[in-house]
Every structure is written in structure tokens, then in C-alpha cells.
Amino acid sequence: MSPVTPLSAAFSARNRRQFSHCLSLGSARHALLTGAMGLGASVWAMPALAQDAPVGMAPVTEKAPAPVTPPNAVAEDTNAGSVIATPAGTATGSDAAQGDATKTDAAQSDQVRFEADKLQYASDPDVVTATGNVVLRRDEQTVRADAVTWNRKTGKIEATGNIRAVDEGGNVLYTDKVELTDELKAGAMQDLLVVLREGGRLAAREGTRDANGNLTLHDAAFSGCAVENEDGCPKKPSWEVTAVKVTWNQTTKKVHYSGATLRVFGIPLLPLPGLTHTSDFRAETGLLIPDIRSTAANGVEFADTFYWRLGDNKDLEIAGHLYTGALPMISGTYRQLTSLGAFQITGYLTRSSAIPVYSAIDAGSGVGTSQWRGYLEANGKLQFDENWSLTAYGRYASDRTFLRRYDISRDDRLRSSINLERIGDDSYFSLAGWAVQTLRVGDNQGQVPLALPALDWRYRIATPGIGGHLELEANTLAISRSAGQDTQRAFARAQWDLRTVTGLGQEVTFTAMMRGDVYHSDANALTTVDIYRGVSGWQARGIATAAVDVKWPLVGALFGGTQVLTPRVQLVATPHVRNTSIPNEDSRAADLDDSNLFSLNRFNGYDRYEDGVRVTYGFDWQLTRPGWRISSTVGQSYRLSDEQSLLPPGTGLTDRFSDIVGRTDLRIKDIIQFTHRYRLDKDSFVLRRNEIDATIGDHRTYAEIGYLRLNRDIPITFEDLRDREELRAAARVGFAHYFSVFASGVVNLTTKASDPVYGSDGFQMLRHRLGVAYTDDCFDLSITWKRDYVTTGDATAGNSFLFSVSLRGLGSR
């Protein structure tokens, strides 16, 4: 399409003043609007741009300004009230005599009311002319203009100068000249801008609007971008679709183009023949924007998705993936909303060479077993009433490297579950089942448990006379393995809690708990760690616990803020519990930290229970000042019993004195967030656990760092308690208002001495990411480079590049 003359000649004096103000702000972008440019650059410089409404604006409801009676106002035809009625006080002469009739006529929906600074009537041509701040109203429609002429013979209404017309649907039209019907329907227009209520803007050299509100535009453009900046000055949209002809159907909210071209930053990039899309950004059947990426395992990938809107409550996405280094893959997602809830199903299917995870063969060599491979994922929830619900999700991969090779997920375990729940005011019921697929190198799937059924019921009742609440619980679980130990468990629990506050402000909580357990297990010898096996056959035990917990909050002023110091002491007593004869399925990864320091049982499950008598002590401290807050928790426990602990040294709970655990949180406005969790060896004060998470910056420019070191010196036979050291870092720097660069990386710092199984040398880069992005109100563009440093089967180490584009109103990925 050939360039079109810029619209600077159509600027009114008012907008020239606004434009000059914008130039005074030093924006070179505004100066471009006055140059000779093509359609894509200049069509947005509409008159009255400073009044542009935001995307997604609510229907415009105008409040009528107070009537004005200028000295030179004239109303020569008092019979004009049948079509155009003047508000009381805006005209002179016999207007007062017709006051009651005017009010009655103005209430009728088929009339047009107006306000103006000046009104003139020419009797010969029978023309009414209103000038100066003219406002026309009919029902929910309004038209503002500098001048309006009404030919009573022909019924033609013409508005000129700084026109802002709002139709019954809330769409706003800006132009300098328009012909209107007696129903305020816009007819022929020139140099117009339409701000659609649902979002998006249409601009054109000329256009017409029919009686149904449909637009036909010539030399037009559409964009989902704003055409003003935050200062109210005109700006060039990041992207637009220009066309020789554009039609917009007000009923279907669809925009159809003839001779369309996609322009990004004014540069024509892609012809779009036959383009049609919705103007309100709702989902419609059609192709989405494609993805382009390159990976070491598959080569260059081109993926495009066809979106099929099956109804208002369901849709389907089908995507094709083409690779230069692998066979094509197909994927799909089905979603549906029902009267009870929602669910979705996602699947991938391809055929490629799968290489065993222990093999050193390069995936690109083509060596391997060619087979059908894929992945299936589904989730959903049904809410039967306010109490009962059913939640389910499932994940399954054909092999251990499929998800990593095709960059779908990096999860090393895939969990599936179904859970029927009832949640009441004082009760809870759950009947669930769990299954796990391991994708980890070295894990035996036959040793991974299937938990079905898992039943839990709880009921809480008040205890009149003694106060507090009594909670009853019944729980049962069956665990089976195809090549491992099977365990069944059932227990019943009753726990009474009473919380009270003394006259001095101490918060005291009394607890009494009783529990009875029954276990059955077989094939115990297949469990590799001896202390996890238990004794095969039927086993039973009883547990009783009594505890008292005292907190004493002390509040005072410090450094211009408020500090709260809360010393805390807890005494827990539990007679000897049969632990070693009971199979350990859910209490293996035990570790002392700030979250379980004051727990009745510091094991993380039901199968192991901490017995003996112990005293736990510590304090919470918090200082709050305007704009920032710091808090800290420190504590330790002492076990009165000298019995040998179940846990190996390094967990912090082996000796009578436990290790010292703590946590510190710092927050300064929304700029700095810092959390440090730690555990100190009680004897050497060596850090056995050191965990740091910190964020500095705002949403555009920030840095994040995460560091974890577990230095417990526990034998490697305890697979759930191995030492780890890892560093995670990420940063983003925003510049030039819309641009940003970002980077992230994960480094394994674990040494061979800490974990000889995986053979890390103390500095092993796992993966990193580096990219640049452009993001504004309607356009996202990013280029990302990722590198994976670990090869697992056919999921090879190497570089990946991703190019991503999102256009508001046309599609996104």
C-alpha cells in the first residue's frame, strides 16, 4: 500500500496547542508525527487525541454541565423542541412558555437534547446552528463538538471541530467532521479514530457507519496499543495492522481486513491476507502466533497452534511441532467449564529415538531405539456443594527423558492424585489416592510407592466445663510397591487444646494427646535402609503426650518504631514409643529447623514419633518502622532423657541439647526482601544448614539470589538426608522505558565428599538463561538463550534459543 499524506493539516487549534506542549517535553517521537510518513506511522495522529479513552473503559456516562445563558444566545424557533430541545435557561424568548412541554419532550427517548454557548436559527433555509461547547444527547449516546448545524428540511445534522461521539455500546469516536442522523448515528467521516470499549483502536482516513453501527473504513489501521503516553501526548503504537479496507461488525465484534499488513515499530513485516479477529480480545477459532526455537537435541523448532472455540465453556488447542533434527510432534489441550467445576487434558505424541539414561550415546547420532513417545497431563475439580468436592490430577510420561528433551518440564517426579473431600465448620473428611512416576536417574520405579486408599477424618468439638477444644482424628493408609515393601497403617487420635491468657499477658496453651496405631507390612527386606524397614507382620503401639507452651509478648518503642519481644518456653512429655519395630514410610527426611522447633512431634510424618521429656526455649523478635520491618526467631531444645536418638548425627536432634536454629527476615518497603534460615552446631557453631533468599529492586530492575547448603555429614546410606550445596541467581535490568535484559543460572556446588553418588566436583553449572525483552502496554518481544550443561540420555546438553512474540488483541504465546 502506498504512503498516505500525514494528518497534521487536520489538527484543530486546540490540538496544536496540546501537540506543542508534548514537544516541549522533549519527546522526539512526537516530532515524527508532523513528517511525511506512511499510513502505519501517521494515521494515529487524530484530532482530540488528548481525550483518548483507555483500553477496556466502562461505558461513558456524561453528566450534563450547568445550563449557560450567554448574552448573544438566540432561539428563534420554539417548535424545534420536538427534535432538538434546549435545556431550561439556555435560550430566551418564548422558551419559558414552552417549559413544561420541553421537559416532557426531553424525557422521551427518541429526542435529541443539546447544550451550547450560542444558538442561531436561519428561517429561510430552516437551519439551526449551535456553536461553542455543543453537547448532544440521546439515550446513552452523546456527541461533543465545536459546532453543530441541523437542516430541518432535510434532517441532516453535521458536527464539526473536536468531535467526541460515544455510542450506546460505549465506543468512542474522535474526528473533526461527521454527518449524523436524527438518531445521532454517525454517517460519513474523515480522519477518524475509534476507541473500542472492549479494547483496541481503529483509525482511518475516511469511513462510514451504517444504521446498525457497523463501520467501513478505508486506508485504515487497527492496534491494541494506546496512542497516548502517560503525559497525555500522542505516541506511535508498537504494532498495528494496516489495510486498504477494514470492516467492523458491532454485533459480532469482529474486524475483517482487505490487503492487511502487520507493522512492528512502523516496519512492514508480514502480509496477512484474509485476516479476521475479534475487537474485544475474546477467544475465537483460528491460528495463534507461532513459536520459533532451537535446541541441541532437536534442532530448529517451528510450532504453531490452531485454537478451536467449541463453545462458551469449552475449547481445544492443537499444535504441530516441526524440527530439523527430529520427527514432528503433535500436542493438544482440551478445556471445559461445567456447572460443577472445570477440567483440562493435555497430551504430546511423537516418534523418536529414546536413549537409556545411563548411555553416553549422543542423541544427534541417531543411535537409539525408535519408539512412540509422549506425555499426558490432566487436572480438574468438581464442587458438588459448599462442603463436598472432588479434585484430581494426573501426569504420565512415556520415558524418563521425554519432558527434558522437548523442554516441557524439568520435574524429576510426576505425581498423580484423586481426592474426595468434605470441609465443614468443625469437620474434615478426605478419601484420596496417590501415585508417583520417577524420572530420576538411579531410581527404581518398583520401589516407588502407590498410596491407595488414604483416608483422613477429623472432627473438632468444644469441651464445656474445662474449656478448649477436642479434636478427633481417624486415619488409614495402604502403600504398595511392585518390587518393594508393602505397608498398611491405621490410627485414631484424640487431642485436647486449651489456650488462655494470664493477667500479666502470658499466652499459655495446654495440650493432651492420645493415639493408637496398627501397622501391617511384608517384604520388608526389600527396603535398603535397615531402620526404615520395621518388623514384618502386625504391629501395634500407643502414644500419649502432654505439653504446656508459654509465650510472653513484650511490646515497646525502639529506634522510632515498635518492637515486640516474645520469649517462649515449651515442655513436652511423651512416654517411650515403639518406633524401630514400625515401618517408616513418611518420616524419613527429618531435619530440625525453625518451622518444627516447637512442634509436638518433630518428625515430618506419622510413622516416627519423638518420645521422652524435653524443654524447648527461644524467642521471637520484631521491629517495625515506617517502610521497613525486621523479625527474627532463635531457639533450641534440651532432652531430659539420655536414650539414644533414632536419627543419625547431623540432623540436629541426636544429642540431649539440640542444635540452635533460627530465621531472620528483613523487608524494606518493596525494594529489599531478605530471608536467612540457619542451624548452628551446638558444639562447634558450624553452620549445618545455611539458606539465603534475597531480592533487591522493583518489578522492572531487580536481582534475586538463593543459596542453600546442607552440611550435616550424614552417611550416604540415608538417601533422604544427603548433603547439598546449590546457588541460584537471577537478575533483570530495565532500560529505555520498555527494554530489559535478564539472566539466571543454577550452579551445583556439592563436592564429591558430600555426595559421591552424583560425582559433582564442587562447581557444576547446571543451566543458565540470558535474554533481552521489549514490553509495553500491548507488545511483548523476547529473545532468550538457554544452555543446559547436563546430558541425560537423549536430553543432551547444549544451547537453546527461543524467540517469543505477543500482540495484544491478535494472540500470544
Side-chain angles (χ1 to χ4, degrees):
M1 182 170 52
S2 60
V4 182
T5 305
L7 300 177
S8 56
F11 275 24
S12 65
R14 174 182 176 182
N15 292 296
R16 289 182 185 276
R17 290 193 296 269
Q18 171 68 25
F19 187 68
S20 299
H21 161 70
C22 297
L23 288 178
S24 69
L25 299 178
S27 175
R29 184 185 297 271
H30 302 143
L32 295 176
L33 295 175
T34 59
M37 294 171 295
L39 172 63
S42 62
V43 75
W44 303 104
M46 290 293 115
L49 269 179
Q51 304 175 38
D52 190 16
V55 171
M57 60 176 290
V60 178
T61 303
E62 308 275 6
K63 181 179 180 182
V68 179
T69 310
N72 57 350
V74 178
E76 296 183 19
D77 189 346
T78 58
N79 294 325
S82 60
V83 177
I84 299 182
T86 59
T90 61
T92 60
S94 59
D95 200 31
Q98 298 290 332
D100 293 340
T102 301
K103 293 178 182 179
T104 301
D105 293 340
Q108 298 177 9
S109 62
D110 61 345
Q111 294 181 353
V112 177
R113 294 167 291 159
F114 78 92
E115 298 164 8
D117 293 342
K118 184 177 181 180
L119 180 65
Q120 293 179 328
Y121 173 60
S123 56
D124 244 359
D126 201 7
V127 173
V128 178
T129 302
T131 57
N133 299 313
V134 182
V135 180
L136 305 180
R137 290 189 177 85
R138 183 182 186 275
D139 294 336
E140 297 181 357
Q141 304 175 74
T142 62
V143 176
R144 295 180 179 270
D146 290 342
V148 173
T149 60
W150 172 47
N151 190 311
R152 298 184 65 193
K153 293 180 179 179
T154 63
K156 178 181 177 181
I157 302 174
E158 184 177 89
T160 57
N162 292 317
I163 297 169
R164 181 178 186 271
V166 182
D167 64 19
E168 61 273 14
N171 306 301
V172 185
L173 165 68
Y174 299 98
T175 186
D176 248 3
K177 183 177 181 181
V178 64
E179 295 180 3
L180 303 170
T181 68
D182 55 7
E183 296 180 347
L184 292 191
K185 300 292 186 182
M189 300 164 282
Q190 291 184 343
D191 297 342
L192 64 132
L193 170 65
V194 179
V195 180
L196 303 173
R197 177 188 173 184
E198 298 89 351
R201 292 159 174 81
L202 281 163
R205 297 296 180 187
E206 60 182 31
T208 58
R209 188 168 188 175
D210 62 24
N212 296 322
N214 303 322
L215 286 172
T216 300
L217 308 177
H218 300 278
D219 291 346
F222 171 85
S223 179
C225 305
V227 292
E228 287 182 337
N229 61 19
E230 58 270 16
D231 299 317
C233 299
K235 73 166 187 175
K236 178 182 172 183
S238 304
W239 69 268
E240 58 194 340
V241 176
T242 60
V244 176
K245 180 181 177 182
V246 175
T247 58
W248 176 64
N249 189 296
Q250 184 175 9
T251 303
T252 63
K253 299 295 190 297
K254 285 188 176 182
V255 184
H256 179 74
Y257 299 81
S258 297
T261 301
L262 173 65
R263 296 173 180 257
V264 178
F265 301 120
I267 302 173
L269 292 184
L270 183 68
L272 301 171
L275 175 65
T276 300
H277 66 83
T278 61
S279 62
D280 54 0
F281 304 146
R282 73 184 187 275
E284 280 289 314
T285 298
L287 288 174
L288 303 183
I289 294 178
D291 272 346
I292 300 175
R293 71 176 70 191
S294 173
T295 62
N298 303 312
V300 178
E301 174 188 358
F302 179 86
D304 201 4
T305 301
F306 180 80
Y307 176 83
W308 189 2
R309 186 170 179 83
L310 302 173
D312 292 337
N313 65 328
K314 53 188 175 182
D315 56 25
L316 175 66
E317 291 181 5
I318 300 177
H321 308 257
L322 300 178
Y323 306 95
T324 59
L327 292 176
M329 180 170 67
I330 187 172
S331 64
T333 298
Y334 177 80
R335 301 181 299 177
Q336 183 171 344
L337 175 67
T338 71
S339 60
L340 296 178
F343 68 91
Q344 69 174 13
I345 304 172
T346 299
Y348 295 80
L349 181 65
T350 188
R351 188 173 180 85
S352 61
S353 297
I355 299 176
V357 293
Y358 292 107
S359 175
I361 300 173
D362 181 14
S365 66
V367 179
T369 303
S370 180
Q371 62 187 40
W372 289 103
R373 309 174 68 187
Y375 170 65
L376 184 65
E377 178 178 349
N379 63 80
K381 182 173 183 178
L382 302 178
Q383 190 74 41
F384 302 110
D385 56 33
E386 62 179 3
N387 301 118
W388 285 95
S389 66
L390 178 65
T391 304
Y393 59 87
R395 304 177 68 190
Y396 177 77
S398 60
D399 54 81
R400 302 197 183 195
T401 59
F402 177 80
L403 294 181
R404 281 194 54 193
R405 171 173 178 173
Y406 291 94
D407 202 18
I408 299 171
S409 171
R410 292 188 172 273
D411 294 340
D412 59 3
R413 293 183 179 92
L414 303 181
R415 294 190 300 171
S416 300
S417 174
I418 184 169
N419 190 7
L420 176 66
E421 287 182 295
R422 186 190 187 280
I423 302 176
D425 294 336
D426 295 300
S427 64
Y428 174 76
F429 171 83
S430 170
L431 179 60
W434 297 82
V436 178
Q437 180 188 9
T438 182
L439 304 181
R440 302 179 68 184
V441 176
D443 278 4
N444 182 355
Q445 182 65 46
Q447 289 282 347
V448 178
L450 170 68
L452 183 72
L455 185 146
D456 189 53
W457 171 83
R458 304 182 190 190
Y459 187 70
R460 186 180 65 174
I461 57 176
T463 52
I466 61 175
H469 289 85
L470 177 66
E471 181 178 285
L472 304 176
E473 179 183 10
N475 182 287
T476 184
L477 172 68
I479 291 178
S480 59
R481 297 176 175 88
S482 61
Q485 178 176 328
D486 296 337
T487 303
Q488 298 84 43
R489 177 192 72 202
F491 71 81
R493 177 181 65 92
Q495 180 172 322
W496 172 77
D497 294 285
L498 171 64
R499 176 183 173 274
T500 184
V501 179
T502 69
L504 295 177
Q506 295 100 338
E507 178 186 340
V508 184
T509 302
F510 298 95
T511 300
M513 190 275 293
M514 296 186 66
R515 196 179 102 187
D517 302 348
V518 177
Y519 281 79
H520 180 270
S521 60
D522 53 32
N524 301 55
L526 296 177
T527 297
T528 56
V529 182
D530 293 345
I531 64 172
Y532 294 160
R533 294 175 180 172
V535 178
S536 63
W538 291 96
Q539 304 294 330
R541 69 178 176 184
I543 302 173
T545 297
V548 58
D549 192 319
V550 181
K551 302 178 185 178
W552 194 357
L554 304 172
V555 183
L558 181 67
F559 302 134
T562 302
Q563 68 167 334
V564 180
L565 177 65
T566 308
R568 183 176 182 181
V569 179
Q570 180 193 62
L571 175 66
V572 179
T574 302
H576 175 71
V577 175
R578 293 184 66 208
N579 277 309
T580 56
S581 60
I582 301 298
N584 183 1
E585 298 282 5
D586 64 5
S587 303
R588 300 183 179 185
D591 199 9
L592 180 66
D593 57 36
D594 62 287
S595 64
N596 64 5
L597 176 65
F598 287 93
S599 299
L600 295 180
N601 180 30
R602 291 180 291 196
F603 285 94
N604 56 335
Y606 292 111
D607 295 339
R608 291 290 180 265
Y609 200 92
E610 191 175 4
D611 55 12
V613 180
R614 70 177 185 271
V615 177
T616 306
Y617 43 87
F619 66 86
D620 299 326
W621 177 76
Q622 179 174 297
L623 174 63
T624 303
R625 291 195 60 195
W628 63 277
R629 180 181 71 250
I630 184 172
S631 61
S632 182
T633 298
V634 179
Q636 186 184 31
S637 68
Y638 174 74
R639 186 156 49 87
L640 277 64
S641 171
D642 59 358
E643 293 184 7
Q644 184 178 359
S645 171
L646 289 171
L647 294 170
T651 57
L653 292 169
T654 305
D655 299 329
R656 299 181 69 173
F657 277 101
S658 75
D659 286 348
I660 301 169
V661 296
R663 176 185 179 126
T664 300
D665 291 284
L666 172 65
R667 179 159 187 164
I668 301 178
K669 297 183 177 179
D670 290 327
I671 300 176
I672 297 178
Q673 298 179 56
F674 175 86
T675 299
H676 182 211
R677 302 176 66 190
Y678 56 90
R679 177 161 60 86
L680 295 173
D681 188 283
K682 66 182 188 311
D683 298 320
S684 62
F685 296 103
V686 171
L687 279 170
R688 297 298 182 189
R689 181 189 185 101
N690 189 18
E691 185 175 0
I692 297 173
D693 287 289
T695 302
I696 302 175
D698 55 25
H699 70 285
R700 291 200 69 235
T701 299
Y702 61 85
E704 296 178 343
I705 187 170
Y707 173 78
L708 171 65
R709 185 183 185 192
L710 301 176
N711 182 27
R712 297 175 293 197
D713 293 335
I714 297 176
I716 62 172
T717 54
F718 296 92
E719 57 183 357
D720 303 285
L721 299 172
R722 290 174 181 165
D723 287 342
R724 288 286 186 272
E725 187 172 7
E726 184 177 273
L727 176 66
R728 307 175 310 277
R732 178 181 290 268
V733 178
F735 63 95
H737 198 63
Y738 298 120
F739 287 90
S740 63
V741 293
F742 53 88
S744 64
V746 180
V747 184
N748 182 10
L749 302 177
T750 308
T751 63
K752 292 182 180 179
S754 299
D755 189 358
V757 175
Y758 288 98
S760 175
D761 60 0
F763 188 92
Q764 180 186 20
M765 179 70 75
L766 299 179
R767 57 187 176 273
H768 76 247
R769 181 181 67 160
L770 179 65
V772 60
Y774 174 93
T775 303
D776 60 21
D777 64 309
C778 64
F779 180 61
D780 287 321
L781 171 66
S782 65
I783 302 174
T784 305
W785 165 44
K786 296 192 298 182
R787 180 171 178 82
D788 196 318
Y789 290 83
V790 179
T791 294
T792 305
D794 59 324
T796 59
N799 298 318
S800 300
F801 299 91
L802 174 64
F803 178 77
S804 178
V805 177
S806 173
L807 305 177
R808 186 176 187 270
L810 287 185
S812 62
R813 293 292 299 169

